[in-house]
Amino acid sequence: MLFSFPKTLLLTAALLAAGTSARAQKKALTPAAIEQRITELLGQMTIQEKAGQLTQYSGRELTGPASTRKTDLLNQIRGGQVGSMLNVKGVTDTRAIQAEALKSRLHIPLLFGLDVIHGYQTVFPVPLAEAASWDMAAIRQSAHVAAREAAASGIHWTFAPMVDVGRDPRWGRVMEGAGEDSYLGSQIARARVLGFQGDKLGGTDAVMACAKHFVAYGAAIAGRDYNAVDLSPQQLWEVYLPPFKAAVDAGAATFMNSFNTLNGVPATGSKYLQRDILKGQWQYPGFVVSDWGSIREMVSWGYAQNVSEAAQKAITAGNDMDMENDAYFDALPQLVQQGKVDVALVDDAVRRILRKKFELGLFDDPYKFSDAKREKKVFSDPQHRVAARDVARKSMVLLKNERNTLPLSSPRKIALIGPLAKAKRDLAGGWTVIADTTRIVSALEGIRQRAGKNASVLYAKGCEATGDSRAGFAQAVETARQADVIVLCVGETWDMSGEAKSRADISLPGVQQELFQALKATGKPIVAVVFAGRPLIFNAVADQADAILYAWFPGSEGGHALADVLFGDYNPAGKLPSTFPRLMGQIPLSYQQYSTGRPVVDPQNIRYRSAYIDAPNTPRYAFGHGLSYTTFRYSDLKVSQPRMTAAETVQVSFTLTNTGSRAGEEVVQLYLRDKVASVVRPLKELKDFQKVSLQPGESRTLTFTITRDKLAFYNNDLQWIAEPGEFRLLLGAASDDIRLEADLVLID
Ligand code: GLC
């Protein structure tokens, strides 16, 4: 319970709710009528009420640094001088606080926002894991279930999807994104926005989405969170902006800017990003919220003399709402009065926020999302856990499988070992809302349940996830000796990735690799299961394990999903959305490498070539890598015409055959190389993919369409152009597993 409200307050809220539901029957307002209502409200609002409408506070008793606000938050809400709250959840608390806001002079309802990043009560795999599914329907369903549960619990707005491209695994927030590739990230951004918002805002099974963190937060120097970002214009426009444009095109209701600077200007204070690109070139109708305290942080950056100047720079640059900062509430009225801020900028920001409150239907029925009966019903929907298990299975990536160690075929004794074998909270990963850890299925529970009476599952922890104690090794080895196969669960704990979790060393923490070596010495086959929120470095395991399954942080149904894959009830089809480096020194490392003037042609002869003298250039596991329990053949590549004009399209088709003995899915990836251009182009860029399910022996002809847009890039004048010349089409099962190639010439 967030606030201990007296009974009378709750009764008032209930009576108000009854009254408003009658209003809810009213016909929805047209866009023009909404704008008219907003104009009328703006005409009645004082400048302090306007500044309050641009202000969001955290439910202070719950989370976040204690706000600097001196006055009592409730009085401010009652005075109609708060626009939104975050970190308030549940029907009871949201109703009670909304009732306070409705006592204000103009009865403007509050927006309730929350970080519903990968599930609300039902925890789905962390977003980077879901990206490994390359399954847009599954990803959209995950966001839809999260929205259903959140919207039943009083939430109007989630601060998701995080659409930052992340190419540096030292940065802990890669966990929240969709990996290193802009094209895959754009498809996933769209799926998540549609999943959270549904087809139209206002439904009580949907919430507003928030595309964040605008922009290029994932390129923080040295992978250190909150650090500066320096990018070329091409990298900005080709890699980091497209997923945000995809979110705009999908109708994302809000944006959140980012903590980082971009080429010397804090994103929160960047007119170029927020007014020129987002609200100007992209004609964005929604509103932008700052990230927690990022307005005030412009003083720390040395970009503003004081909070008042920071507020002036932020509102001028196009930041509409101030999250947990007091900057706008305290400074805007005076800045307007002094003529330093044009009130029209304030009115535009207020209009954007009120427009969303109307579109959500909150003026008609401020309590429509806070319905105790619906909250209970939605929370008990068994289909949600079914969906969580399905997405978790689809997210897991089979990195290695020698001698067909997997799937486990009728072992009599399984030794389940490792610091994460019994873990529950860890499997939920970071950014969980109300993860009820008792409802998270551990690996041990999932595997014991699946093994049933057919096999006994022995357990030993072996060691902690961190620390240097080897006291548990002996028992773990003894347990392993009694078994037919070892399943070793290693990785990170849930709080080792996410916000403010940058790591200068992303190897398996603690003595986990030593535990692996001790178990390897028993000679038993070893399956390594890795739980993590980011790519990790684990070379000893990678070299010597018989099989490796990357399970990420799989969520509430993690243990069941893991068992489904290990026992072959589900044939894994995950593909890595991020490159896995061999060594820290290779970072940042993505598949989009350039040829350089001295490419490595023969790895045995790297003298005076672009290479390391102490390591290969290649990653441990490449972007797009992922194995299956079956095999696939790629054949009969056909290109409808070898040459095309910019006005034409070309069909690229080939045959995919399941050459194995069990049904399976394959993510076929289409890459492209522009061989010669006015700016050098990467050796390959992902341009399309298809996820296909085939029965054993089944063949299917798949087709991709090449358009001028797929051949285009930003030249040195930042023009989006396709230059005539030769291109190479590359079709494969991974960025380092190209199966078919063909040439294509653009002739004008
Ligand atoms: C945090 C995060 C942001 C989150 C916000 C509200 O600092 O950067 O992603 O949505 O604050 O919790």
Side-chain angles (χ1 to χ4, degrees), residues 86 115 159 173 212-213 256 259 291-292 323 431 499:
L86 77 148
D115 291 285
F159 305 125
R173 303 199 76 167
K212 71 182 187 181
H213 306 78
M256 181 186 293
F259 289 120
D291 202 340
W292 188 295
M323 179 189 285
W431 284 116
E499 182 176 359

Side-chain angles (χ1 to χ4, degrees), residues 632-633 635-636 654-659 692-702:
F632 295 95
R633 184 180 62 239
S635 60
D636 311 325
F654 77 103
T655 301
L656 184 70
T657 303
N658 178 343
T659 47
V692 182
S693 178
L694 295 178
Q695 292 302 315
E698 183 184 359
S699 289
R700 191 172 307 163
T701 299
L702 303 175

Side-chain angles (χ1 to χ4, degrees), residues 520-572:
K520 177 70 185 171
T522 66
K524 302 282 182 180
I526 296 186
V527 174
V529 175
V530 186
F531 293 106
R534 64 169 101 207
L536 294 180
I537 293 174
F538 45 94
N539 289 313
V541 175
D543 290 336
Q544 302 171 55
D546 299 283
I548 303 169
L549 184 69
Y550 219 74
W552 310 98
F553 290 132
S556 299
E557 287 289 311
H560 287 321
L562 176 63
D564 291 343
V565 175
L566 291 178
F567 286 88
D569 300 338
Y570 175 78
N571 184 357

Side-chain angles (χ1 to χ4, degrees), residues 56 63 86-87 114-115 117 158-160 162 164 173 176 210 212-213 217 225-226 256-259 289-293 297 323 431 499:
Q56 177 185 63
T63 176
L86 77 148
N87 296 333
L114 189 67
D115 291 285
I117 308 298
T158 178
F159 305 125
M162 188 268 228
D164 301 303
R173 303 199 76 167
E176 302 169 53
C210 180
K212 71 182 187 181
H213 306 78
Y217 187 14
D225 209 350
Y226 315 119
M256 181 186 293
N257 53 44
S258 52
F259 289 120
V289 63
S290 63
D291 202 340
W292 188 295
E297 289 181 9
M323 179 189 285
W431 284 116
E499 182 176 359

Side-chain angles (χ1 to χ4, degrees), residues 47-58 60 67 69 73 76-77 80-86 109-111 157 287-290 295 319-333 349-350 353 357:
I47 185 61
Q48 194 62 60
E49 287 169 332
K50 291 177 181 176
Q53 201 51 228
L54 306 184
T55 298
Q56 177 185 63
Y57 291 104
S58 176
R60 66 186 67 239
S67 159
R69 281 195 54 68
L73 178 57
Q76 195 173 333
I77 291 172
Q81 298 183 352
V82 177
S84 172
M85 295 289 291
L86 77 148
L110 290 167
L111 276 177
W157 176 24
F287 70 83
V288 180
V289 63
S290 63
I295 294 176
N319 179 91
D320 298 302
M321 184 182 279
D322 168 6
M323 179 189 285
E324 212 13 281
N325 226 179
D326 279 331
Y328 280 6
F329 188 73
D330 290 352
L332 280 186
V350 173
I353 291 163
K357 295 185 178 183

